[in-house]
Amino acid sequence: MAFYYSEPSHTFSEYLLVPGYSSAECIPSNVSLKTPLVKFKKGEEPALSMNIPLVSAIMQSVSDDKMAIALAKEGGVSFIYGSQTIEDQAAMVRRVKNYKAGFVVSGSNLRPDATLADVIELKERNGYSTIAITEDGSATGKLVGIVTGRDYRISRMSTDEKVADFMTPFEKLVTAPEGTTLKEANDIIWDHKLNSLPIVDKNGNLVAFVFRKDYDQHKTNPHELLDANKSYVVGAGINTRDYAERVPALVEAGADVLCIDSSEGYTEWQSRTIAFIREKYGDTVKVGAGNVVDADGFRFLADAGADFIKIGIGGGSICITRETKGIGRGQATAVIEVAKARDEYYKETGVYVPICSDGGIVHDYHITLALAMGCDFCMLGRYFSRFEESPTNKVWVNGSYMKEYWGEGSARARNWQRYDMGGAAKLSFVEGVDCYVPYAGLLHDNVAVTLSKVRSTMCNCGALTIPELQSKAKLTLVSAVSIVEGGAHDVLVKDKVSH
């Protein structure tokens, strides 16, 4: 006979937090949202932590290098989508790691015999406005000059004109020797009013650039998430089929953390994938797994060696796995059970495995509920897909700007056969839809508002950290009529504004 759960599973919208005592210290500016990203042993610090509890979903329509940079500036992590060629995904990871590193290896390089047409094409291809001109055209060749937007005017010059004729030559550049500290480099930039400072070795070879914008951005993004080399932290999605080729390429490109992307994670395929990574890299390569919705699934992946575990099946706004296959569980119930299993595992083994709530976030307060229920961070797709930095097109639909958004299990992404486990050559059914979401503007502005709500609610519960919220939170199930009571009711709203 099948096993039957005695209680129905619940969603986040069926819960409310009951306020607790708030001391005078409980003000939003005192709240820390720092949270572990990967597992750690009792008494030790995790190898990777985040400054905010948000990661972006492993989706074509959400997480590319542009999104990864924007989210890392805020203190979170993007997992660059894996439903693309290994080379393209590795290139995205590499662009994130090279974007900001204090000392940045030049990403745009030409020889002096290149033309203005080459300059224009290179800038359009990678977006960098500073181009190093080296004798051999490499990132570390002998520096002979630099080209920036100030060195040419497309309307006044022939595209056949040689770079050597309009570049700023080496003798007119302000440079610094190899060994210069980042502080010294920034001082030189300020003293000489530069946008970039080339670092050269004793033979005149280009070593790296230091950019003025990196200093400015650090001051305006105090929570930005950096690695030991002051590059942005970035994640990448992998699958259970081509991991033997994809993982080494992503590791070589500099990915800080990987995550197996699947609609259901309680499988031998995932344990095989983790085993491959552990055999080849030991614990140096961090990999998350999932998705699961119960204690058994958590225990299986934790024992397999996962560094964090994702929770949620069918709760995403574009996911129709429950509708198509009849599997899944209400997201709140799934988080509560897995969090309990995580805590029991920690008591037994002394190893804390962070858990991620993936899906089911409709309103900002659902993030706070998920954290209170025990998750360490949330993965969001629809939320991030609305922003300027997402990879999709901004389109005008019925008088409003919208962004395209589609699921990894949709027909639009089906050519990658994400759900193929052998057998049929093509995906025979879809588990996601293709749709539009309202355009919401810049990520920075929206994340700031969302997290201000989270911090404020935590203060209402008397908590200044996420672990403190989890220990102090009091949660209550609500009835259908109390949900109605919670919104505006029995009045005529003058100006309904969407939040």
Side-chain angles (χ1 to χ4, degrees):
M1 180 179 173
F3 176 81
Y4 290 88
Y5 287 91
S6 58
E7 294 291 331
S9 63
H10 298 284
T11 67
F12 292 132
S13 290
E14 295 176 79
Y15 283 90
L16 287 175
L17 281 158
V18 176
Y21 170 72
S22 300
S23 71
E25 295 295 310
C26 285
I27 56 175
S29 60
N30 287 339
V31 172
S32 168
L33 293 177
K34 188 171 183 178
T35 193
L37 177 57
V38 297
K39 67 182 179 184
F40 58 95
K41 293 180 180 177
K42 188 173 184 179
E44 297 180 358
E45 287 293 313
L48 281 173
S49 292
M50 297 186 294
N51 294 324
I52 63 172
L54 303 180
V55 299
S56 66
I58 312 168
M59 300 173 69
Q60 293 176 3
S61 55
V62 178
S63 297
D64 65 353
D65 49 310
K66 189 176 179 183
M67 176 61 71
I69 291 166
L71 185 51
K73 287 179 181 177
E74 304 303 320
V77 172
S78 279
F79 285 87
I80 291 176
Y81 67 92
S83 51
Q84 58 179 322
T85 66
I86 295 171
E87 295 74 20
D88 287 347
Q89 188 185 20
M92 284 189 181
V93 169
R94 205 170 281 113
R95 285 199 290 273
V96 177
K97 300 308 290 185
N98 288 339
Y99 180 83
K100 182 184 188 306
F103 295 95
V104 183
V105 175
S106 180
S108 285
N109 313 282
L110 290 172
R111 293 180 2 162
D113 59 355
T115 64
L116 177 59
D118 295 322
V119 170
I120 295 168
E121 189 276 331
L122 185 59
K123 184 179 179 183
E124 287 180 350
R125 176 155 37 97
N126 63 25
Y128 301 142
S129 59
T130 299
I131 300 174
I133 311 303
T134 58
E135 283 187 351
D136 61 1
S138 74
T140 55
K142 188 174 179 65
L143 185 64
V144 295
I146 286 178
V147 170
T148 70
R150 293 179 297 183
D151 293 310
Y152 60 89
R153 287 293 177 269
I154 298 173
S155 60
R156 299 184 182 183
M157 297 167 62
S158 167
T159 54
D160 295 330
E161 192 162 341
K162 298 292 185 184
V163 165
D165 296 331
F166 62 86
M167 69 182 185
T168 301
F170 181 82
E171 55 269 21
K172 291 187 177 180
L173 295 174
V174 176
T175 64
E178 189 174 17
T180 301
T181 67
L182 188 58
K183 182 181 185 306
E184 290 168 343
N186 282 319
D187 288 341
I188 294 170
I189 286 172
W190 282 99
D191 291 343
H192 294 272
K193 299 181 179 178
L194 306 173
N195 288 322
S196 64
L197 176 69
I199 308 296
V200 296
D201 67 17
K202 60 183 179 181
N203 298 315
N205 295 313
L206 179 62
V207 175
F209 278 105
V210 177
F211 291 100
R212 182 191 193 99
K213 64 179 174 61
D214 287 348
Y215 179 85
D216 293 340
Q217 287 174 354
H218 179 69
K219 293 302 179 184
T220 56
N221 298 288
H223 298 297
E224 64 184 355
L225 197 60
L226 306 174
D227 65 16
N229 297 316
K230 303 215 170 163
S231 294
Y232 284 131
V233 172
V234 60
I238 61 173
N239 58 59
T240 57
R241 295 180 303 283
D242 65 8
Y243 55 84
E245 296 80 36
R246 191 174 292 269
V247 170
L250 295 173
V251 171
E252 192 276 331
D256 297 279
V257 58
L258 307 174
C259 185
I260 303 171
D261 182 26
S262 174
S263 63
E264 207 275 296
Y266 192 0
T267 71
E268 182 181 345
W269 307 108
Q270 294 222 358
S271 62
R272 287 185 185 182
T273 304
I274 297 169
F276 166 81
I277 293 172
R278 293 291 171 252
E279 184 177 339
K280 186 174 178 64
Y281 300 102
D283 288 327
T284 60
V285 171
K286 307 302 181 185
V287 57
N291 287 16
V292 300
V293 291
D294 65 2
D296 292 340
F298 170 86
R299 173 70 67 154
F300 173 79
L301 291 176
D303 287 341
D307 285 292
F308 67 85
I309 293 170
K310 290 202 296 151
I311 308 160
I313 295 176
S317 61
I318 42 70
C319 184
I320 55 171
T321 296
R322 297 180 195 173
E323 185 178 316
T324 305
K325 296 170 69 175
I327 65 168
R329 200 176 194 188
Q331 189 68 2
T333 299
V335 170
I336 292 167
E337 179 173 322
V338 173
K340 182 180 178 182
R342 185 266 323 278
D343 293 344
E344 290 173 352
Y345 189 84
Y346 181 51
K347 287 180 182 177
E348 288 177 29
T349 67
V351 177
Y352 186 94
V353 183
I355 56 175
C356 166
S357 177
D358 176 18
I361 303 291
V362 181
H363 305 291
D364 288 346
Y365 81 88
H366 288 171
I367 296 171
T368 320
L369 283 172
L371 296 172
M373 290 172 180
C375 86
D376 296 279
F377 53 97
C378 298
M379 177 172 277
L380 303 103
R382 179 195 61 85
Y383 177 86
F384 286 112
S385 72
R386 304 171 301 141
F387 302 151
E388 178 69 33
E389 295 86 353
S390 75
T392 64
N393 295 320
K394 183 168 65 174
V395 294
W396 186 256
V397 180
N398 296 329
S400 300
Y401 277 117
M402 310 290 282
K403 291 277 279 188
E404 295 178 299
Y405 181 44
W406 62 90
E408 290 296 285
S410 68
R412 188 163 181 170
R414 70 189 299 170
N415 58 315
W416 287 95
Q417 298 180 15
R418 176 167 176 260
Y419 298 91
D420 177 36
M421 291 299 175
K426 293 182 179 179
L427 188 70
S428 57
F429 58 89
V430 297
E431 294 186 44
V433 299
D434 193 344
C435 59
Y436 295 112
V437 291
Y439 172 68
L442 295 174
L443 179 146
H444 172 78
D445 298 335
N446 285 274
V447 167
V449 172
T450 295
L451 295 181
S452 71
K453 294 177 184 177
V454 173
R455 291 186 179 98
S456 180
T457 305
M458 286 173 63
C459 288
N460 292 142
C461 297
L464 294 176
T465 66
I466 292 171
E468 192 177 9
L469 173 68
Q470 292 165 350
S471 66
K472 290 185 174 181
K474 295 183 290 183
L475 291 136
T476 181
L477 272 168
V478 294
S479 67
V481 288
S482 65
I483 293 173
V484 174
E485 180 187 59
H489 59 91
D490 301 322
V491 294
L492 183 63
V493 180
K494 291 182 183 179
D495 184 18
K496 188 174 178 64
V497 180
S498 177
H499 292 287

